[in-house]
Each structure stands twice: as C-alpha cells, then as structure tokens.
Amino acid sequence: MSDAREIFGGGVAVITGAGNGIGAGLARHAAALGMTVVLADIDEQAIGALSDELPGSFASGCDVRDPEALEMLAAQVYSDIGPVRLLINNAGVEQFGYLWDTPVANWNRVMDINVSGVFHGVKAFLPRMIAAGAPAWVWNLSSIGGVAAVPLQAPYIVSKHAVLALTECLRLEVELAGHGHFIHVQAVLPGAVKSNIFEAAGGVDASAAGTDVAAAEAQREAMLDIKAAAMDPVEAAEVVFEQSAQDVFYLLTQPDYVGSAMAERAGVLTSQVPPQLRTQRRFEPDRH
C-alpha cells in the first residue's frame, strides 16, 4: 500500500484555518511530506509567521464566511501555483453556554464558519479539482463532537454533526457523478488536539437578564483542563495523513478514543435511549 509521502508529496495543499491548532499541524506535516502548502486564515499574522517557518508555502488572508473570498483564492491558486491535490476545510470556532443564552450573532458565527465555510471551500475548489482530472482529496473537519451530544456547546456540536453529514453526502454525490475513481472525499474526526479554540470561543452576554455566565465559563474551564493532556497537532496530522493514504473514509486522530465515541453513538441510535447527562466522561470537541 502507498504511504502518505508517495500519494501527497509534490502536490499542492490548501488548508483553511491554518494559523493554529490542527490546521497548523496539518500544514507542517504536509510541508514535511514535500507538499506546496497554501495557508488560508483570517488571522494573517499567524499564517504569516507559519509561512516564514515553511519554505515554499504561501499565506493568504481569507474569511471562509465569504464565498467570494474562497472563489478568489481558488482562482489564484490554480492560476499561480497549480492544481490542488489536497483541500482541507478546517476553519472552525467554538461556543459555550446554554443554547437559550447564546447570542444570535454567536450562533451565526459558528454556523457561518464551521458549516458554510466548508460549503464555500467545496464550492470554490471541487469543480476545479474535477476539471483537472487528476487524483485529488477533500478533507472536511468534523470532530468527535460530530458523533456526540454535549451540553453547553450546542452550536459547535450541531455544526460538527452538520459537517459530517455534508461530507458523507458529498462522497456519495462525487460517486454518483462518476468522479469517485479519482476524487477522494474524507471526513476528519479529531479528538482532543492542542489549540486555542477554547480560549477564543464565544460565550454569553453577561448584561442580559437571567443569563448563566457561570455555566458557560465553567464549561470553558473544563475544556481547558482537557486541552492540558491533548494530542500534539503535528502528531495528529501524521495519523490523519497515513489513514488517508489507506483510503479510509473516517480519519480519526485517536482511533481508539474517537472510535469508541462512534460506537457509543451507534448504540444510542440503535437502542433509541434518550441522551444522558455524563459526570465522568466528556466528549470534548477538537482541535483547531
């Protein structure tokens, strides 16, 4: 079987949300495999510093909420760099607090970045990848949260369930359209990977009457505790690349841990048991 270097080395990788966390880890490992890496992120300072670290890479300030920005990025990459072998739709943000306390703007932010950002990436790049007619890969970042129910993080959890469903449907559509023999669609489900996603997460409006700020911030602290023992982003990236090279669909940073969450989810759906509050085990989201 071919390994990741044989498959991806020499190709172009475009990574959204590349400035931090698993996005930066994926970028570093892609560069180590010999890929030309395009770093896309709204945080231009972060990707500028990472580009300085990775010779031959390109940094592009890009807000995935803007479909025109993704279209312009795709056009520029194909014009100035070359066809894309690997598209990684990774950009994502978190949100803490009771759903009824969540500000509308924060809900929209999570959905616009985590879900619509993936769609915009697919919309901009996939037609070009198909037209090129060469083997290419699309990775969409879901999460262990995409197969779990977690209180006080509902917007994020909803978004990652949506990304997983989007990716599963996309794989079927690529096959239906006759492109499945060279376009490989895969879903990435990270467990805990070191990043600043929890620090940067949205919270609730303390000025709104009745809002439970303490619950939101307690959940943030719980996630930060999990982060302390989280996986190194480059190590996570190496696992994901090697799994992709084996042509599996679900790419899991921690196969045993994330796999157990997937099995538990399957069991819940099969038995139709209502969601249960947990006091010991947390299925924390990701990674960015």
Side-chain angles (χ1 to χ4, degrees), residues 93-102 106-108 110-111 114-115 145-146 148-162 201-204 215-216 219 223 283 285:
V93 294
E94 250 281 19
Q95 171 67 34
F96 296 121
Y98 286 111
L99 187 58
W100 55 86
D101 287 341
T102 301
N106 291 25
W107 169 271
N108 289 338
V110 172
M111 297 304 150
N114 295 14
V115 183
V150 182
L152 299 170
Q153 296 174 233
Y156 179 87
I157 298 299
V158 169
S159 75
K160 292 306 178 179
H161 277 253
V204 296
Q219 186 69 3
M223 295 299 101
F283 287 139

Side-chain angles (χ1 to χ4, degrees), residues 7 22 30 34 79 84 92 101 168 171 205 222 232 247-248 282:
I7 290 175
I22 197 170
S79 172
V84 174
D101 287 341
E168 291 169 336
R171 182 181 177 97
D205 184 359
D232 177 80
D247 199 29
V248 298
R282 292 179 181 270

Side-chain angles (χ1 to χ4, degrees), residues 21-22 190-195 230-233 236 253-254 284 286-288:
I22 197 170
V193 176
K194 291 186 184 299
S195 75
M231 190 176 192
D232 177 80
T253 57
Q254 296 104 319
E284 93 301 349
D286 180 352
R287 78 348 17 252
H288 299 80

Side-chain angles (χ1 to χ4, degrees), residues 173-191:
E173 291 183 2
V174 165
E175 292 180 3
L176 180 64
H179 309 306
H181 59 290
F182 70 98
I183 299 293
H184 307 268
V185 177
Q186 295 167 314
V188 184
L189 282 76

Side-chain angles (χ1 to χ4, degrees), residues 16-17 41-42 62-66 70 89-94 105-121 141 155-156 159-160 163 166 197 200 287-288:
T16 68
D41 201 300
I42 198 170
C62 183
D63 186 343
V64 298
R65 293 173 291 186
D66 182 357
L70 268 299
N89 291 307
N90 165 71
V93 294
E94 250 281 19
N106 291 25
W107 169 271
N108 289 338
R109 174 175 178 258
V110 172
M111 297 304 150
D112 288 347
I113 295 173
N114 295 14
V115 183
S116 294
V118 174
F119 168 67
H120 296 155
L141 271 285
Y156 179 87
S159 75
K160 292 306 178 179
V163 170
L166 181 156
I197 190 172
R287 78 348 17 252
H288 299 80

